[in-house]
Amino acid sequence: EAQVTQNPRYLITVTGKKLTVTCSQNMNHEYMSWYRQDPGLGLRQIYYSMNVEVTDKGDVPEGYKVSRKEKRNFPLILESPSPNQTSLYFCASSFGTESPLHFGNGTRLTVT
Amino acid sequence: AQTVTQSQPEMSVQEAETVTLSCTYDTSENNYYLFWYKQPPSRQMILVIRQEAYKQQNATENRFSVNFQKAAKSFSLKISDSQLGDTAMYFCALPHNAGNMLTFGGGTRLMVKP
């Protein structure tokens, strides 16, 4: 089944404790990206990748890191999480700008 | 910079009736795509419909259709014969050309009432 797999689904952590949210797609998509969803703001882009070893900042990259060592995986890393990073996070992938995004099921992150 | 605006934070409709969700946007591109995504309580993001800006014909997918006004930069979603399963957040979205990222509107929460 074609899908984007994102883990974990829920995560509660404390300020400053490094964490990683994993994302993997099995559709051989070139494009992968991360979004955060906050009430009233819709989804905002954090980082995106156009291919292996090619990543770039989105609209809200501060406090986040990504890597794209393999085509299928695109983890999101929070080196020192803060409470303002409490949000719902989505990973997404696609073939290109004309193609719809395929989304993971989301990760609800709470930083206390 | 691109912007996408959904001016209706919440809407409700009676089952079997028709509802229209509005979306306006701003872009300097001439050829682009527009999307509507649905997010039910399960929080999955599901593609509802896609419109290509160079096509004059409005896209239709079963009970879902769009009213695309390119000059006015308006992209509204019409849901006919509303069903309880249509209860969800609806997001309008416009792609960046770089990296296939989407710019999303703030969303409209739709409640379908029995």
Side-chain angles (χ1 to χ4, degrees):
Chain A
E1 179 190 352
Q3 61 185 0
V4 177
T5 302
Q6 191 179 331
N7 283 300
R9 194 161 169 80
Y10 297 93
L11 181 57
I12 301 173
T13 190
V14 295
T15 298
K17 186 175 181 181
K18 181 180 178 179
L19 65 91
T20 300
V21 184
T22 63
C23 175
S24 180
Q25 50 93 5
N26 62 1
M27 295 166 279
N28 202 36
H29 287 165
E30 278 79 32
Y31 291 90
M32 298 187 74
S33 53
W34 279 100
Y35 294 82
R36 61 176 287 173
Q37 181 181 356
D38 301 290
L41 298 177
L43 283 78
R44 295 177 292 167
Q45 308 98 336
I46 303 172
Y47 268 95
Y48 65 91
S49 169
M50 297 172 71
N51 214 324
V52 175
E53 302 292 359
V54 180
T55 64
D56 209 345
K57 296 177 181 179
D59 294 328
V60 288
E62 293 78 20
Y64 304 96
K65 282 177 57 176
V66 293
S67 68
R68 188 94 181 270
K69 293 185 171 59
E70 304 165 284
K71 195 172 187 178
R72 63 185 292 129
N73 295 324
F74 191 47
L76 179 69
I77 302 157
L78 284 72
E79 294 269 3
S80 182
S82 61
N84 64 11
Q85 293 178 297
T86 292
S87 187
L88 177 60
Y89 291 86
F90 285 97
C91 178
S93 71
S94 77
F95 281 117
T97 55
E98 299 175 2
S99 304
L101 290 180
H102 295 255
F103 286 86
N105 285 332
T107 296
R108 172 75 67 187
L109 172 66
T110 302
V111 184
T112 61
Chain B
Q2 296 187 149
T3 59
V4 179
T5 303
Q6 293 178 250
S7 59
Q8 305 147 315
E10 293 186 358
M11 295 187 74
S12 63
V13 63
Q14 291 296 131
E15 198 174 5
E17 293 188 347
T18 295
V19 64
T20 298
L21 281 57
S22 65
C23 173
T24 57
Y25 61 93
D26 191 21
T27 180
S28 58
E29 301 294 329
N30 191 43
N31 292 320
Y32 49 90
Y33 289 77
L34 291 156
F35 300 91
W36 277 98
Y37 283 87
K38 169 185 177 181
Q39 187 182 43
S42 66
R43 82 187 191 204
Q44 260 188 300
M45 291 290 289
I46 302 165
L47 177 68
V48 175
I49 201 163
R50 179 178 80 163
Q51 174 74 43
E52 298 160 40
Y54 62 86
K55 286 190 176 179
Q56 291 187 335
Q57 187 174 7
N58 289 324
T60 299
E61 288 286 345
N62 300 315
R63 298 182 296 106
F64 298 88
S65 61
V66 301
N67 182 6
F68 175 53
Q69 303 288 331
K70 190 174 183 181
K73 293 183 178 175
S74 171
F75 181 57
S76 60
L77 175 70
K78 186 171 85 170
I79 306 174
S80 304
D81 186 25
S82 296
Q83 300 176 358
L84 296 177
D86 296 333
T87 292
M89 283 288 288
Y90 287 83
F91 294 98
C92 176
L94 173 70
H96 286 259
N97 274 338
N100 194 38
M101 295 192 299
L102 291 179
T103 300
F104 284 85
T108 296
R109 185 178 300 280
L110 176 68
M111 172 74 72
V112 180
K113 298 179 178 178

